[in-house]
Each structure stands twice: as structure tokens, then as C-alpha cells.
Amino acid sequence: MTAARLAFLVVTLLTAAVNVGIAAADLARARFVLANSAQVGVPRSWLPRLAALKLAGAAGLLLGLHDLALRPVGVAAACGLALLYLGAITFHLRARVLHNIAFPGFYFATAVASLGLAVSS
């Protein structure tokens, strides 16, 4: 296995795992999710839909890893996740909630890294 292939595998699995984790927190209505959502102005009613998008993105990433023919699904999933987290960063900036902007920033970075590695591999 080449270093590029290994990086693609590790980064994509990491991205999928963190998205499943935060989607589970959204669905469980974890205290930190509710507090953060309230601070940035995201209605509670959006949480199940946001969780579904995160889970769909994670599933798409995993499908893209499974087979070369499904790589475009992984690329689309990474693109969708990057846009989702770009929106989250925008919500943080708009609400001037910067103390925890690193979290959507991290998720955005993993999605962009997955996208870049999927396109280049």
C-alpha cells in the first residue's frame, strides 16, 4: 500500500468516524449540542436533519472507499460535508460565537482533506 493510499484510507475513515460521532450526539440531543445550537441560532428542530446529513456523508465516504467505481459517491459525500461545515462556521461567525469554532473547523478540515485525497487518488 502506498503512502498516498494509506493517507486516503486513514483520513477518510477518520472523517466518517467523527461524523458518525457528532451525528449520534445530535440525535441524542447531547447537552453540548443543545447549548451550542442555541448560541449560534440553530433551531432544535434542525438537529435530526443535520444528523441525517452527517450520517449520509459518512456512509458516502465509506462507499467511496469500498470500490473504485463508487469513488464519485465518496467525492460527493466529502463535498457535501465540507459545505455543511462551511455553513456551521458561517453560523458561528454570524453569531460571533468563536470560543468553540475549532470544532466545525476541524470537521470542515477533515472533509476537505477527504475530498482532496479522494480526487487525487
Side-chain angles (χ1 to χ4, degrees), residues 12-120:
T12 303
L13 288 173
L14 171 69
T15 305
V18 297
N19 276 282
V20 168
I22 196 62
D26 288 350
L27 290 172
R29 296 185 183 269
R31 188 178 312 148
F32 76 91
V33 171
L34 296 177
N36 186 55
S37 298
Q39 285 182 326
V40 300
V42 172
R44 285 185 179 196
S45 63
W46 288 15
L47 292 178
R49 290 178 189 92
L50 292 172
L53 290 172
K54 293 168 189 175
L55 290 172
L61 289 173
L62 295 176
L63 283 172
L65 277 178
H66 178 67
D67 188 355
L68 187 59
L70 295 174
R71 183 70 47 84
V73 173
V75 169
C79 215
L81 287 170
L83 290 172
L84 175 77
Y85 291 115
L86 188 59
I89 291 168
T90 301
F91 265 72
H92 276 257
L93 293 172
R94 180 186 56 107
R96 292 183 174 84
V97 177
L98 304 179
H99 66 91
N100 59 359
I101 199 167
F103 291 101
F106 171 74
Y107 298 133
F108 175 72
T110 63
V112 170
S114 293
L115 175 62
L117 289 168
V119 168
S120 69

Side-chain angles (χ1 to χ4, degrees), residues 1-12 64-68 71 117 121:
M1 180 176 286
T2 67
R5 177 77 180 144
L6 181 61
F8 171 58
L9 180 67
V10 169
V11 170
T12 303
L65 277 178
H66 178 67
D67 188 355
L68 187 59
R71 183 70 47 84
L117 289 168
S121 65

